Amino acid sequence: MNEYQKSRFTAKVIQALFNTVSGKKVALLGFAFKKNTGDTRESPAIHVAKTLLDEGASINIYDPKVEESQIYYDLTHPSICESPESVRKSVKIFEDAYSATAGAHAVVVCTEWDEFIGLDYNRIYKGMMKPAYVFDGRKILDHERLVDIGFHVQTIGKRLARPLAPRCWSSNPTV
Protein backbone atom coordinates (compact mmCIF):
# COMPACT_ATOMS: atom_id res chain seq x y z
CA MET A 1 0.00 0.00 0.00
CA ASN A 2 1.32 3.44 -0.81
CA GLU A 3 1.04 6.29 1.70
CA TYR A 4 -2.28 7.58 0.34
CA GLN A 5 -3.81 4.10 0.36
CA LYS A 6 -2.65 3.45 3.94
CA SER A 7 -4.27 6.69 5.13
CA ARG A 8 -7.42 6.06 3.11
CA PHE A 9 -7.71 2.50 4.39
CA THR A 10 -7.31 3.55 8.02
CA ALA A 11 -9.84 6.34 7.55
CA LYS A 12 -12.31 3.71 6.24
CA VAL A 13 -11.83 1.69 9.42
CA ILE A 14 -12.50 4.70 11.63
CA GLN A 15 -15.46 5.88 9.57
CA ALA A 16 -17.10 2.43 9.51
CA LEU A 17 -16.76 2.16 13.30
CA PHE A 18 -19.05 5.16 13.69
CA ASN A 19 -16.27 7.74 13.23
CA THR A 20 -14.42 6.72 16.37
CA VAL A 21 -12.23 3.87 17.49
CA SER A 22 -11.69 5.32 20.94
CA GLY A 23 -12.14 2.53 23.46
CA LYS A 24 -12.65 -0.08 20.71
CA LYS A 25 -10.59 -3.19 20.12
CA VAL A 26 -9.21 -3.76 16.64
CA ALA A 27 -7.46 -7.01 15.65
CA LEU A 28 -4.63 -6.62 13.14
CA LEU A 29 -3.92 -9.83 11.29
CA GLY A 30 -0.43 -9.59 9.87
CA PHE A 31 2.33 -7.15 10.68
CA ALA A 32 5.00 -8.17 8.17
CA PHE A 33 5.53 -6.24 4.96
CA LYS A 34 4.61 -9.33 2.94
CA LYS A 35 3.77 -12.96 3.57
CA ASN A 36 6.41 -15.58 4.31
CA THR A 37 8.75 -13.10 5.95
CA GLY A 38 9.30 -11.50 9.32
CA ASP A 39 10.43 -8.26 7.66
CA THR A 40 8.48 -5.22 8.87
CA ARG A 41 10.37 -2.47 7.06
CA GLU A 42 7.82 -0.15 5.48
CA SER A 43 4.98 -2.46 6.50
CA PRO A 44 1.54 -0.86 6.05
CA ALA A 45 0.58 -2.38 9.40
CA ILE A 46 2.84 0.11 11.21
CA HIS A 47 0.97 3.08 9.75
CA VAL A 48 -2.43 1.47 10.31
CA ALA A 49 -1.64 0.55 13.92
CA LYS A 50 -0.10 3.94 14.69
CA THR A 51 -3.11 5.82 13.33
CA LEU A 52 -5.59 3.63 15.20
CA LEU A 53 -3.58 4.02 18.41
CA ASP A 54 -3.53 7.80 17.95
CA GLU A 55 -7.33 7.67 17.67
CA GLY A 56 -7.66 5.76 20.95
CA ALA A 57 -8.07 2.15 19.82
CA SER A 58 -6.75 -0.91 21.61
CA ILE A 59 -4.97 -3.19 19.17
CA ASN A 60 -4.55 -6.96 19.21
CA ILE A 61 -1.89 -8.13 16.77
CA TYR A 62 -1.19 -11.56 15.36
CA ASP A 63 1.52 -12.32 12.83
CA PRO A 64 2.90 -15.85 12.38
CA LYS A 65 6.52 -14.73 11.87
CA VAL A 66 7.11 -11.27 13.31
CA GLU A 67 8.56 -11.34 16.82
CA GLU A 68 6.74 -9.51 19.61
CA SER A 69 9.85 -7.42 20.32
CA GLN A 70 9.96 -6.26 16.68
CA ILE A 71 6.32 -5.17 16.74
CA TYR A 72 6.83 -3.16 19.91
CA TYR A 73 10.04 -1.68 18.51
CA ASP A 74 8.27 -0.58 15.31
CA LEU A 75 5.37 0.98 17.22
CA THR A 76 7.45 2.69 19.91
CA HIS A 77 10.31 3.93 17.75
CA PRO A 78 11.04 7.58 18.71
CA SER A 79 10.47 8.75 15.13
CA ILE A 80 6.76 7.83 15.34
CA CYS A 81 5.96 7.55 19.04
CA GLU A 82 5.89 10.11 21.81
CA SER A 83 4.60 7.77 24.51
CA PRO A 84 5.95 4.21 24.39
CA GLU A 85 4.21 3.43 27.69
CA SER A 86 0.76 4.16 26.25
CA VAL A 87 1.53 2.00 23.20
CA ARG A 88 2.52 -0.92 25.44
CA LYS A 89 -0.78 -0.50 27.36
CA SER A 90 -2.88 -0.39 24.18
CA VAL A 91 -1.18 -3.13 22.13
CA LYS A 92 -1.32 -6.84 22.83
CA ILE A 93 0.45 -9.50 20.79
CA PHE A 94 -1.19 -12.91 20.35
CA GLU A 95 -0.03 -16.40 19.41
CA ASP A 96 -2.99 -17.09 17.11
CA ALA A 97 -5.65 -15.28 15.11
CA TYR A 98 -8.55 -16.60 17.19
CA SER A 99 -7.22 -15.16 20.43
CA ALA A 100 -6.40 -11.86 18.72
CA THR A 101 -9.90 -11.45 17.31
CA ALA A 102 -11.83 -12.49 20.44
CA GLY A 103 -13.88 -9.53 21.67
CA ALA A 104 -12.73 -7.29 18.82
CA HIS A 105 -14.97 -4.79 17.04
CA ALA A 106 -13.04 -5.19 13.78
CA VAL A 107 -10.50 -7.38 12.02
CA VAL A 108 -7.98 -5.64 9.78
CA VAL A 109 -5.97 -7.83 7.40
CA CYS A 110 -2.61 -6.15 6.78
CA THR A 111 -0.51 -9.03 5.40
CA GLU A 112 -1.56 -11.60 2.82
CA TRP A 113 -0.67 -14.71 4.84
CA ASP A 114 -2.23 -17.87 3.35
CA GLU A 115 -3.20 -18.85 6.89
CA PHE A 116 -5.72 -15.98 7.01
CA ILE A 117 -7.62 -17.34 4.02
CA GLY A 118 -8.30 -20.65 5.76
CA LEU A 119 -9.38 -19.32 9.15
CA ASP A 120 -12.73 -20.37 10.60
CA TYR A 121 -14.53 -17.05 10.19
CA ASN A 122 -17.73 -18.46 11.71
CA ARG A 123 -15.75 -19.00 14.90
CA ILE A 124 -14.18 -15.55 14.66
CA TYR A 125 -17.59 -13.91 14.10
CA LYS A 126 -19.09 -15.63 17.13
CA GLY A 127 -16.32 -14.27 19.36
CA MET A 128 -16.44 -10.68 18.13
CA MET A 129 -18.45 -7.64 19.19
CA LYS A 130 -21.41 -6.88 16.92
CA PRO A 131 -21.69 -5.42 14.40
CA ALA A 132 -18.50 -7.23 13.34
CA TYR A 133 -16.28 -5.71 10.65
CA VAL A 134 -13.56 -7.12 8.40
CA PHE A 135 -11.26 -4.75 6.54
CA ASP A 136 -9.33 -6.71 3.94
CA GLY A 137 -6.30 -4.59 3.11
CA ARG A 138 -4.85 -7.28 0.85
CA LYS A 139 -8.01 -8.48 -0.94
CA ILE A 140 -7.33 -12.12 -0.10
CA LEU A 141 -10.56 -13.13 1.64
CA ASP A 142 -13.82 -14.46 0.26
CA HIS A 143 -15.92 -11.35 0.83
CA GLU A 144 -19.23 -12.94 -0.18
CA ARG A 145 -18.73 -15.74 2.35
CA LEU A 146 -17.88 -13.23 5.07
CA VAL A 147 -21.02 -11.21 4.34
CA ASP A 148 -23.08 -14.43 4.45
CA ILE A 149 -21.66 -15.10 7.92
CA GLY A 150 -22.74 -11.63 9.06
CA PHE A 151 -19.62 -9.49 8.73
CA HIS A 152 -19.57 -5.98 7.34
CA VAL A 153 -16.71 -6.17 4.82
CA GLN A 154 -14.64 -3.36 3.34
CA THR A 155 -11.49 -3.36 1.27
CA ILE A 156 -9.16 -1.07 -0.61
CA GLY A 157 -10.14 -0.66 -4.23
CA LYS A 158 -12.45 -3.06 -5.97
CA ARG A 159 -12.41 -6.81 -6.20
CA LEU A 160 -14.52 -8.89 -8.53
CA ALA A 161 -17.18 -10.79 -6.65
CA ARG A 162 -16.65 -13.74 -8.97
CA PRO A 163 -13.94 -14.21 -11.56
CA LEU A 164 -15.10 -13.72 -15.09
CA ALA A 165 -15.51 -16.86 -17.15
CA PRO A 166 -12.72 -17.27 -19.67
CA ARG A 167 -13.65 -16.09 -23.13
CA CYS A 168 -13.31 -18.38 -26.08
CA TRP A 169 -12.11 -16.53 -29.13
CA SER A 170 -13.07 -17.71 -32.55
CA SER A 171 -11.89 -16.68 -35.96
CA ASN A 172 -15.54 -16.74 -37.01
CA PRO A 173 -17.11 -13.41 -35.87
CA THR A 174 -20.64 -14.89 -35.92
CA VAL A 175 -19.89 -17.44 -33.24
Side-chain angles (χ1 to χ4, degrees):
M1 286 188 235
N2 64 33
E3 293 304 313
Y4 170 72
Q5 290 287 55
K6 288 184 253 186
S7 296
R8 188 171 146 239
F9 183 64
T10 309
K12 273 181 142 180
V13 173
I14 295 166
Q15 180 184 19
L17 294 174
F18 309 102
N19 290 318
T20 184
V21 291
S22 182
K24 293 179 180 165
K25 190 184 300 183
V26 178
L28 256 60
L29 298 184
F31 201 80
F33 177 72
K34 63 181 181 177
K35 70 178 183 175
N36 301 326
T37 180
D39 187 0
T40 61
R41 289 175 290 172
E42 299 184 30
S43 172
I46 297 169
H47 177 85
V48 170
K50 174 71 174 122
T51 303
L52 293 173
L53 288 168
D54 288 347
E55 293 291 326
S58 296
I59 300 182
N60 292 351
I61 300 173
Y62 167 66
D63 188 285
K65 288 213 179 195
V66 179
E67 298 290 329
E68 180 175 335
S69 60
Q70 182 65 48
I71 293 170
Y72 282 121
Y73 174 81
D74 288 336
L75 294 177
T76 60
H77 193 273
S79 65
I80 65 166
C81 181
E82 294 176 10
S83 177
E85 305 81 35
S86 67
V87 169
R88 289 194 177 274
K89 287 180 186 174
S90 299
V91 173
K92 293 181 181 164
I93 313 302
F94 289 83
E95 296 289 322
D96 65 86
Y98 300 110
S99 300
T101 58
H105 294 85
V107 174
V108 178
V109 177
C110 290
T111 309
E112 67 277 15
W113 289 103
D114 293 338
E115 172 183 342
F116 300 157
I117 297 167
L119 291 173
D120 181 349
Y121 284 94
N122 283 305
R123 176 180 171 189
I124 290 172
Y125 180 80
K126 287 176 186 170
M128 289 180 64
M129 302 295 289
K130 307 300 183 286
Y133 290 85
V134 171
F135 299 90
D136 186 359
R138 296 300 187 160
K139 294 188 263 188
I140 62 168
L141 303 178
D142 182 341
H143 300 155
E144 289 178 16
R145 189 176 118 229
L146 293 173
V147 168
D148 288 346
I149 291 170
F151 285 103
H152 296 267
V153 180
Q154 294 197 25
T155 186
I156 286 185
K158 300 249 185 227
R159 178 175 167 243
L160 290 174
R162 289 178 173 70
L164 294 174
R167 294 189 67 166
C168 295
W169 298 100
S170 169
S171 58
N172 183 350
T174 61
V175 174

